[in-house]
Amino acid sequence: MPPQQDSARIVFLIVLTFWIFSSPDNGPLIAGPNLIKDRLARQRAAHGVLNSTRWGDFDPTPTTSDAQATEPKFLNLTGFRERDNLAWDDLGRFRQKCDEWSLNAVGMPEAAQPVWQNATGVVHGLWHRENGSVPRFHSDYNLTEISPNITWASGAFEWSRNITGPAGKMLVRLEDDEAAGTEPEVVDPLVLHETEVRAREVTATITLEDVEGSGSQWDMRMHGVHWPRQGAMLFTTTSEKFAGIFGLPHLTSRPDFFETSQALLNRTLDKVLSKKEQLFFLDQTDPWASSSDSPSDVFNPTAHCEYLAYLQIHPPDKDYLHVQPSLTGPENIVKAIHEIEEELRFPQGISHLGRPRLQMSAVLYSPDCAFFLESKGPPAYAPADGMHLQGMKQETFLYSITVWLIGLGLVVFGQVQLLKLQMRETSTPSTLGRISFYTASIMLLADGTVFIGSIAWSLSASTTLLPSLLVTGASFLAMMTGNIFLSEIYKVQEPEWRREERDRERQRQQTQAANAARYAAEHPPSSTTTTTTTTTTTTPQPALPTANIPVIVPSDQDVDAEIAEVNDANTNNNATLPAPATAPNTNATATTASTSTPLSNIFGRLIMCSTLILFLTLATTGWRPGIRAAYFNLLAFGYLSLWWPQIHRNAYRNCRRALAWPFVVGQSILRMLPIAYFYLINDNFAFAEPDWTSFAVLAGWVWIQIVVLVAQSILGPRFGVPKGWMPEAWEYHPILREDSIEAAGLPIGLVAVPSSPATMERVKTGDEGVSSKRSNVYSTQCVVCRENLEVPVIKAGDEDPTAGGVAGVLARRVYMVTPCRHIFHSDCLEAWMRFRLQCPICREELPPL
Ligand SMILES: *[C@@H]1O[C@H](CO)[C@@H](O)[C@H](O)[C@H]1NC(C)=O
Ligand SMILES: *[C@@H]1O[C@H](CO)[C@@H](O)[C@H](O)[C@H]1NC(C)=O
Ligand SMILES: *[C@@H]1O[C@H](CO)[C@@H](O)[C@H](O)[C@H]1NC(C)=O
Ligand SMILES: *[C@@H]1O[C@H](CO)[C@@H](O)[C@H](O)[C@H]1NC(C)=O
Ligand SMILES: *[C@@H]1O[C@H](CO)[C@@H](O)[C@H](O)[C@H]1NC(C)=O
Ligand SMILES: *[C@@H]1O[C@H](CO)[C@@H](O)[C@H](O)[C@H]1NC(C)=O
Ligand SMILES: *[C@@H]1O[C@H](CO)[C@@H](O)[C@H](O)[C@H]1NC(C)=O
Ligand SMILES: *[C@@H]1O[C@H](CO)[C@@H](O)[C@H](O)[C@H]1NC(C)=O
Ligand SMILES: [Zn+2]
Ligand SMILES: [Zn+2]
């Protein structure tokens, strides 16, 4: 077993282990039950503070305009205490901003415009940063004092989620679940729409991209409260150094928000805590953790900046709602919104024009790192600079994913059809031998990656399960078909690789022998015995096959060996052919077979490759946006370079065309379509920025490869390739010269045709202007079709300047001359050679096309 395969397997195992242990939903590693108990006790105490405090109990910056100067008031909650030293000076500013942004979006609180009641969806947009009024650095905090008994993983280092750049991007995923706790409490969800829900629990995953600052990207999961009537949402992060969710009611800007949220959280947090207290041994996750890698956080959590986030939903587009002009009262709009949301969730077939947009404005405030992040948009910014956060409601989002998945399924299915067409076309060993193994491998690799990816997706998808199953099925079909195709190609081409390997091995042995001889010559004869032993031990190749192989094979003899190999393959499939004459060769291949790569290994490598690609792609979420874009561009470029190996093989094998044109064109288009979606469509579900330039480069690259394939087919596979770059191959379309008659160079049976004006004319037009002055016309009978074959032959002593040009090349495409000097129509011999690599006349072996 060659060592590099072992190492490949080890790398695979390491990656797999790493993945299993870093997977977030793999459950926690076992944490000490005492740690969990302590944490639950702390949370229980925090809940006690929540249910026993009133509006105004947390007032870090009392307004001095009051008649009596009041003391600042703090809460006995982690992070809300005075000694914790958080930058609460800006809380007033945060509350003011919240009110201001709500006012800008929906108007006065008493007459607020109706908004979407269900905030579930995805929005994204730009933010800009503002300094807090007091600076805070991580040295301002004593973590052991804020949270005794907690060992922080990064106490001495900078905290994560510390935004330093002036602007960046953010993506917010909202889960506004019907099953979440509501205030007033509604036990039966069917009654939900009858009673008005004043507050509801929501969660959001906010992704912050600090493009200009640290260049990193952070995900955080925040929990909070949604007030559906006002369309306002307040979220906080919760950690060991900040009891965010327990203090949330005190961070709201209005007393009515405080009351509803306190009543809601009093009840729901108590419920969650009671359940956790019962199951503290089994369920060790922190229900309010803000990072997904919570298991290790139990032991030593990493410190990060805490956030408050206030989101305000904007009213939906009036044109979209289609409320009659006479009925624009708020209750009619509320009704229209309700109807649309019902229709989106439970479609009844009522059509709506276009897709409902979800728009929100956001204010983020970090009380410990002391800065604000605000979404860019009017009135502070011109609409061209940003429209706050825009996106789609969940149903629309899922719809676009579904459409894309179905499209992908159909595309993959189309690829299978094209592949089947190609397999029918190339069903014989000689035609299979022309196809590049690597082109087929890239296709199989891509299909396999789609297959593994769609399986992983289907396992976690609930709403898009059916379309993802479609993709899984189609890609499974594609993978199996591609698998069969690749193994057919492998069967035919493997002997060729073995021969090349043998040649290399032999070359190495020769140089070794030469070195040994030189060494022996340079050193005294007393050491000869040791040198001979070293040479024999350093050559692992058994002596028997080397002895059977002719010592030096010049490059032109390679062709013969190649024929022999193809015949080997032929005899495997076609017993009617005569056995190959090169028996020692077969003997040698049998003994060296153990050193060649078995097919299963190749599939193993492909699977490993696609798994690695998937992991790497998953890992890109933590990369700088520029590097990530470069990675995806590079990946797409590598994928779309799939014709390049075929171009190389065409030149190497001197074969003009291996693949059917419908296959080449169809595969190129089908494989570019799913990629084009992300590069060209503005509202794509991955929220990738359209990048027309990159896509133009990719499409141009595919186009260039196809043009080269076409040029190879018309002008010859080695057109433009310098001589000597490729191994010699038999030239089936030689320039025929009269002066080589004496040297017996002209094909057998060619007879000069007396130059009649008619034939001259025909040659002129038919052969695209080969000068009739310089070439005579010869003719013979083509044995395959039994029709006349006329070829131009250059007069003795004449140099033909057009011979190397395009016209000359095209003229020579008409006929083919075999190494045994028989001449045929190109079409006739090519059709013949699809089945037999033998001369139709003398049954001599033919070099493959
Ligand atoms: C407040 O919460 C604490 C801890 O959850 C509980 O023991 C206490 O009974 C609650 N107080 C009231 C008035 O509900
Ligand atoms: C919290 O809930 C308990 C019952 O679960 C209730 O007795 C208490 O009044 C509530 N406290 C507040 C401040 O709503
Ligand atoms: C704050 O709460 C802790 C328990 O969480 C308690 O030991 C401490 O006495 C409280 N401090 C005040 C000032 O109430
Ligand atoms: C924010 O504060 C930093 C230093 O703390 C300073 O360099 C920067 O200019 C400030 N930005 C603004 C917009 O004031
Ligand atoms: C956040 O980053 C700034 C600038 O790099 C740094 O001065 C500050 O200490 C950091 N804050 C924390 C809490 O790490
Ligand atoms: C942090 O607080 C702990 C306990 O109060 C104290 O022992 C330690 O010296 C403090 N560290 C710093 C850097 O102030
Ligand atoms: C810290 O842990 C010790 C031992 O587990 C415990 O006695 C003490 O009360 C804890 N302190 C806090 C503030 O939780
Ligand atoms: C909002 O819509 C989503 C998706 O249709 C649904 O899962 C969720 O339960 C809805 N929430 C409410 C409060 O209706
Ligand atoms: Zn013919
Ligand atoms: Zn022949």
Side-chain angles (χ1 to χ4, degrees), residues 416-694:
V416 176
Q417 294 305 315
L418 285 172
L419 192 59
K420 276 159 78 180
L421 182 141
Q422 179 64 40
M423 284 168 81
R424 270 201 297 278
E425 190 108 329
T426 48
S427 48
T428 59
S430 87
T431 44
L432 275 173
R434 303 172 185 178
I435 296 172
S436 164
F437 183 79
Y438 297 100
T439 292
S441 301
I442 292 178
M443 292 186 184
L444 182 59
L445 183 64
D447 294 341
T449 310
V450 170
F451 177 66
I452 297 176
S454 61
I455 278 194
W457 180 277
S458 335
L459 286 182
S460 60
S462 50
T463 29
T464 52
L465 182 65
L466 284 182
S468 54
L469 282 182
L470 175 79
V471 175
T472 311
S475 53
F476 180 72
L477 213 63
M479 209 175 63
M480 291 328 278
T481 321
N483 217 334
I484 295 170
F485 191 48
L486 196 66
S487 43
E488 294 283 314
I489 295 175
Y490 179 80
K491 244 191 278 174
V492 172
Q493 298 189 4
E494 200 233 356
E496 183 189 321
W497 303 343
R498 280 213 299 250
R499 203 202 60 232
E500 281 163 11
E501 199 172 299
R502 231 166 36 232
D503 287 351
R504 272 198 303 275
E505 176 72 15
R506 205 157 49 225
Q507 232 161 30
R508 219 187 65 220
Q509 279 176 18
Q510 279 165 11
T511 46
Q512 258 178 13
N515 287 348
R518 214 176 44 234
Y519 182 83
E522 284 166 5
H523 289 259
S526 59
S527 63
T528 334
T529 43
T530 46
T531 35
T532 38
T533 44
T534 42
T535 35
T536 41
T537 43
T538 46
T539 49
Q541 198 68 20
L544 176 70
T546 21
N548 281 339
I549 294 170
V551 184
I552 301 158
V553 178
S555 58
D556 57 336
Q557 260 184 292
D558 270 9
V559 174
D560 292 356
E562 198 166 312
I563 303 162
E565 300 297 352
V566 173
N567 264 310
D568 279 356
N570 271 347
T571 37
N572 290 345
N573 297 323
N574 194 343
T576 57
L577 279 183
T582 49
N585 252 354
T586 1
N587 190 4
T589 47
T591 44
T592 48
S594 58
T595 62
S596 72
T597 330
L599 188 61
S600 55
N601 250 339
I602 290 170
F603 287 139
R605 277 180 209 175
L606 284 183
I607 289 173
M608 202 180 86
C609 256
S610 54
T611 322
L612 272 179
I613 289 173
L614 280 177
F615 284 137
L616 214 59
T617 309
L618 285 181
T620 54
T621 49
W623 296 2
R624 263 172 185 272
I627 298 175
R628 196 171 52 217
Y631 167 78
F632 280 112
N633 286 340
L634 213 69
L635 197 66
F637 188 82
Y639 175 34
L640 293 178
S641 303
L642 81 170
W643 302 122
W644 195 247
Q646 185 60 53
I647 292 170
H648 177 266
R649 185 159 184 90
N650 280 356
Y652 182 78
R653 294 276 305 235
N654 204 17
C655 151
R656 279 193 290 135
R657 188 174 67 91
L659 300 164
W661 292 128
F663 179 76
V664 173
V665 175
Q667 288 279 5
S668 304
I669 293 175
L670 289 182
R671 282 174 192 274
M672 271 199 299
L673 275 181
I675 300 175
Y677 173 82
F678 296 106
Y679 277 95
L680 303 184
I681 305 287
N682 210 341
D683 268 342
N684 61 68
F685 65 81
F687 297 102
E689 299 240 341
D691 189 351
W692 287 78
T693 330
S694 302

Side-chain angles (χ1 to χ4, degrees), residues 176-239:
D176 188 7
D177 205 343
E178 203 173 21
T182 56
E183 170 62 32
E185 187 174 19
V186 183
V187 181
D188 185 357
L190 290 177
V191 202
L192 188 81
H193 300 300
E194 317 298 298
T195 45
E196 195 198 10
V197 171
R198 286 157 68 213
R200 191 162 57 220
E201 279 198 313
V202 275
T203 45
T205 308
I206 300 189
T207 307
L208 289 174
E209 241 177 48
D210 191 9
V211 185
E212 291 165 43
S214 60
S216 327
Q217 170 179 307
W218 287 293
D219 275 324
M220 53 188 178
R221 194 163 171 77
M222 302 177 86
H223 299 262
V225 176
H226 178 200
W227 293 273
R229 214 160 69 95
Q230 292 84 358
M233 285 174 275
L234 181 66
F235 298 92
T236 71
T237 54
T238 307
S239 71

